Amino acid sequence: MSQIISITALSSISSLGNDPKTIWENYLSENHCFSKKYLDNQETWVASLDEKSQQIVAELQHSDVKYKSLDKSVLYAMAASRQAVEKAGWDTDSVFGINIGSSRGATDLFEKHFQEYLETGKAQTLASPTTTLGNIASWVGHDLQSTGPEISHSITCSTALHALLNGVAWLRAGMVDKFLIGGSEAPLTDFTIAQMRALKIYSHSEEAYPNQALNLDKKLNSMILGEGAAVCCLEMGKKDNALAFIEGIGYATEILEHNISISAEATCFQKSMKMALQNTNLEDVDVIVMHAPGTKAGDLTEYKAIQKIFGESLPLLTTNKWKIGHTFGASGMLSVELAVLMLQHNQFIGVPFLNNPFRVQNPERVIKKVLVNAVGFGGNAVSVLLSV
């Protein structure tokens, strides 16, 4: 990239917690964050917000009468954005853009409103405005009293990293010098879980690790859904308070054979990684945070794409979905958070049930560059290269 872009703040709210210290401590633990919840007429593995995070969201919802009718996906984004902007030192005089997306939007509210309509034949007055996808960025903008552009979008599971692409584009175009970007998802609903089960990709394992993300030998699909939001503040130039720098971005879409397919060697990932790494020596990439959702095909095809690009000299490979599940539109930014934490602490966080080459770090190797991947239904891949 011709111009450096700094990540000057990053904030999230998920099953890992809502502050960097707690989140890092949870990453250092080999325990997963899953629990059982009764959804889709059965006990179901999910990754729910931790208790403190739920309290933060509840307090936010009751802080303004207008917030009481908002969906969890909007509230999660608002909670994370408040923290990020405060950390970055942006105030009400700062002009910044906002691009926060979601894969599925206001799923919880939509299901409730539709069920009420089926039962009564009437829709509530606020049913439409509270279930539109544009809710997220516009309400975040309202809460932060921002005056810049506000964009919401859905590009399935690569939504958050597409927001990052948009933020980079706006900054490099000189249209703004600050951008708040990320993703939010609240998919722990009956109908959403039922849809994943219909695809035959949801975990019903009773093993110690019910999501077997990055286990390339698994016999069954093991995806589990999680909820949360993650955002970061982007600023043009090399800032002194930067947590990390965006060195390269890549994106690609591949032609599909059917609605959820991805090619055997993930052509879209090969293209997006090549683009992100076009100005980088491959041996300089220390870690790849893979998308790896825990499905047989998804994990294996991404791995094959990485092999195609890196050959035998693979970087360390990891994913966080064995621990926090798949948060759909928020997942890419939660992966960026893991990447930034590894860069800050110079410590690799692997997958505990896997052996080399995925898990063991050479203690003499300093982590300076991390590649983050995301892809969604529709074959929309994004790769982002981060450095310190």
Side-chain angles (χ1 to χ4, degrees):
M1 292 174 65
S2 57
Q3 297 167 296
I4 284 287
I5 290 176
S6 299
I7 297 177
T8 55
L10 198 156
S11 182
S12 69
I13 187 166
S14 73
S15 56
L16 290 165
N18 57 83
D19 68 274
K21 183 175 182 292
T22 302
I23 291 166
W24 180 244
E25 287 173 352
N26 278 323
Y27 269 127
L28 292 176
S29 165
E30 293 193 348
N31 298 325
H32 62 69
C33 297
F34 302 127
S35 59
K36 289 286 187 71
K37 189 173 181 179
Y38 195 77
L39 289 166
D40 185 33
N41 300 310
Q42 57 187 288
E43 291 292 318
T44 303
W45 285 116
V46 295
S48 302
L49 294 190
D50 72 303
E51 190 173 335
K52 185 179 178 182
S53 297
Q54 291 178 30
Q55 183 180 347
I56 289 172
V57 173
E59 290 173 357
L60 170 60
Q61 188 170 29
H62 290 95
S63 67
D64 189 316
V65 66
K66 295 186 294 294
Y67 296 172
K68 290 183 179 179
S69 59
L70 298 180
D71 186 70
K72 291 178 181 178
S73 59
V74 180
L75 295 168
Y76 295 170
M78 291 167 66
S81 297
R82 281 184 177 186
Q83 290 187 38
V85 167
E86 182 181 354
K87 290 176 184 177
W90 298 356
D91 54 28
T92 52
D93 295 327
S94 301
V95 177
F96 57 91
I98 299 173
N99 187 177
I100 302 175
S102 178
S103 176
R104 314 192 73 83
T107 51
D108 187 50
L109 270 189
F110 195 94
E111 289 177 36
K112 288 177 180 176
H113 282 307
F114 186 59
Q115 184 62 39
E116 184 175 335
Y117 174 74
L118 292 177
E119 292 172 357
T120 67
K122 294 181 180 180
Q124 284 193 20
T125 304
L126 294 178
S128 176
T130 57
T131 58
T132 55
L133 189 59
N135 255 332
I136 294 184
S138 58
W139 275 111
V140 168
H142 166 83
D143 188 59
L144 299 177
Q145 301 177 45
S146 68
T147 56
E150 298 166 357
I151 307 166
S152 298
H153 70 236
S154 172
I155 312 184
T156 62
C157 305
S158 54
T159 293
L161 291 195
H162 273 93
L164 186 147
L165 296 181
N166 283 344
V168 168
W170 279 73
L171 292 170
R172 294 181 72 190
M175 297 174 71
V176 290
D177 58 9
K178 298 180 179 69
F179 228 98
L180 176 69
I181 58 95
S184 183
E185 209 73 52
L188 306 185
T189 68
D190 291 314
F191 187 50
T192 309
I193 297 291
Q195 291 174 71
M196 298 304 105
R197 285 204 171 106
L199 292 170
K200 295 180 172 54
I201 58 177
Y202 211 86
S203 175
H204 55 79
S205 171
E206 294 301 328
E207 295 182 15
Y209 294 100
N211 182 306
Q212 288 284 307
L214 207 45
N215 175 4
L216 304 181
D217 298 320
K218 59 180 169 289
K219 305 302 180 186
L220 297 173
N221 289 317
S222 63
M223 193 181 82
I224 297 173
L225 293 189
E227 62 181 349
V231 300
C232 70
C233 296
L234 305 183
E235 297 188 43
M236 199 68 226
K238 197 164 187 175
K239 302 298 181 182
D240 292 338
N241 63 331
L243 304 176
F245 304 107
I246 298 174
E247 273 203 18
I249 55 172
Y251 50 87
T253 303
E254 64 182 52
I255 298 172
L256 305 179
E257 294 181 7
H258 57 80
N259 293 10
I260 62 168
S261 69
I262 188 168
S263 59
E265 294 179 345
T267 305
C268 57
F269 265 140
Q270 291 186 50
K271 291 179 179 178
S272 68
M273 286 188 288
K274 280 181 183 176
M275 186 184 296
L277 298 169
Q278 59 185 327
N279 298 316
T280 303
N281 293 323
L282 295 182
E283 59 269 22
D284 290 340
V285 179
D286 301 298
V287 180
I288 300 177
V289 181
M290 294 172 60
H291 182 73
T295 61
K296 291 186 295 181
D299 294 7
L300 185 58
T301 55
E302 183 180 359
Y303 178 69
K304 287 182 177 179
I306 292 169
Q307 283 184 311
K308 283 284 185 180
I309 299 299
F310 289 88
E312 295 301 315
S313 302
L314 295 179
L316 292 161
L317 304 179
T318 191
T319 179
N320 57 12
K321 294 185 180 68
W322 68 270
K323 179 182 279 282
I324 63 171
H326 195 350
T327 52
F328 285 157
S331 63
M333 194 51 56
L334 285 166
S335 293
V336 166
E337 178 180 63
L338 172 57
V340 169
L341 287 169
M342 287 191 290
L343 288 166
Q344 287 182 313
H345 293 274
N346 187 34
Q347 185 169 347
F348 176 65
I349 300 296
V351 179
F353 49 81
L354 299 180
N355 296 315
N356 292 340
F358 306 105
R359 188 182 177 192
V360 179
Q361 179 188 2
N362 177 354
E364 297 178 359
R365 182 170 185 169
V366 178
I367 298 177
K368 292 185 177 180
K369 295 183 190 293
V370 180
L371 185 68
V372 180
N373 281 341
V375 71
F377 291 161
N380 300 294
V382 180
S383 300
V384 178
L385 181 64
L386 303 174
S387 67
V388 289

